[in-house]
Amino acid sequence: VSFDEVTINYDLIVANAGEDQTICASQTVLGASNPYPGNGVWGITGGSGSADFETPTSATTNVTGLDQGPNTLRWTVSHNGCVSYDEIIIINNTPTTSYAGPDQNICKDSSVIEANNPFYGVGEWSVIGGSATIVDATSNITKVTNLSNGSNTLQWKITKGLCSSIDVVVVKNNSTSISFAGEDQTICTDTAMMMANSPTYGVGEWSIVRG
């Protein structure tokens, strides 16, 4: 009888990078599998060239600087010359930061409002204070009419998925009440009672323009 033995060590540790994520921020916490007794390291294979891993060799590290849109990250595990990797996709749906434009003080019931053009996401106007008619609610530059007297607050909301960015602009309509000085009078004395309308918006004042 003669025999010989061979020992085969299976040293491959299967990598698991965790679940895909859809977030509303440029950072998140990763949750890959523990590489023990091997070693793991994070890398970037698509999307975010500016991403930064706080601890690249930690399975549960924090990652920052994720670009808007999909970012593909790879968790690579090595042990005794065996290498395994897995990838996850993190979608950063943070929309373009909303800017509704400067506040306005006008003397009429219509104006043009100018917000920023959304690079990432879809924008929409809405009225959250006062009243107004928005001609084109999905255009960043649009006309608004029927503004009520006083302050009218309009909101420009940019949305991407479940993520949104909001800014408001206040358009103050300082139009006064229409002035009515009363009926003309023919009198036989040097005094008279004036009967103008009481202004509901603005302050009235009499002055002499002739005589």
Side-chain angles (χ1 to χ4, degrees), residues 3 16 21 23 26 32 45-46 56 64 67-68 78 85 92-93 105-106 118 134 147 153 157 159 166 178 198 202 207:
F3 68 88
N16 183 349
Q21 300 181 37
I23 58 177
S26 62
T45 61
T64 61
D67 288 342
Q68 289 169 316
S78 57
Y85 68 84
N92 173 13
N93 272 341
N105 282 283
I106 57 176
I134 302 171
L147 293 164
T153 304
K157 181 178 182 180
T159 303
I166 294 171
I178 298 175
S198 178
S207 62

Side-chain angles (χ1 to χ4, degrees), residues 36-211:
Y36 182 83
N39 298 296
V41 63
W42 285 102
I44 304 165
T45 61
S48 188
S50 59
D52 181 55
F53 302 98
E54 186 175 311
T55 307
T57 56
S58 171
T60 57
T61 186
N62 186 50
V63 59
T64 61
L66 295 167
D67 288 342
Q68 289 169 316
N71 301 270
T72 304
L73 309 180
R74 176 179 288 183
W75 177 238
T76 302
V77 176
S78 57
H79 180 55
N80 289 339
C82 300
V83 178
S84 174
Y85 68 84
D86 187 33
E87 294 180 341
I88 58 170
I89 297 176
I90 300 178
I91 301 175
N92 173 13
N93 272 341
T94 304
T96 302
T97 301
S98 176
Y99 175 63
D103 292 342
Q104 300 181 31
N105 282 283
I106 57 176
C107 299
K108 55 184 180 179
D109 66 353
S110 65
S111 184
V112 174
I113 48 179
E114 299 186 26
N116 62 324
N117 190 22
F119 173 76
Y120 195 73
V122 177
E124 184 175 14
W125 287 103
S126 61
V127 182
I128 61 173
S131 65
T133 300
I134 302 171
V135 175
D136 187 352
T138 58
S139 173
N140 63 307
I141 302 176
T142 183
K143 185 175 182 179
V144 288
T145 60
N146 300 320
L147 293 164
S148 62
N149 288 108
S151 296
N152 302 276
T153 304
L154 308 173
Q155 175 181 277
W156 178 238
K157 181 178 182 180
I158 301 176
T159 303
K160 180 65 177 179
L162 299 177
C163 309
S164 62
S165 176
I166 294 171
D167 191 34
V168 298
V169 60
V170 177
V171 182
K172 191 172 184 180
N173 175 12
N174 287 326
S175 298
T176 61
S177 300
I178 298 175
S179 177
F180 176 65
E183 301 293 338
D184 293 341
Q185 300 181 41
T186 301
I187 58 176
C188 299
T189 64
D190 62 356
T191 61
M193 178 64 70
M194 312 301 294
M195 300 288 290
N197 62 325
S198 178
T200 56
Y201 195 76
V203 178
E205 183 179 9
W206 286 102
S207 62
I208 303 169
V209 295
R210 186 177 303 168

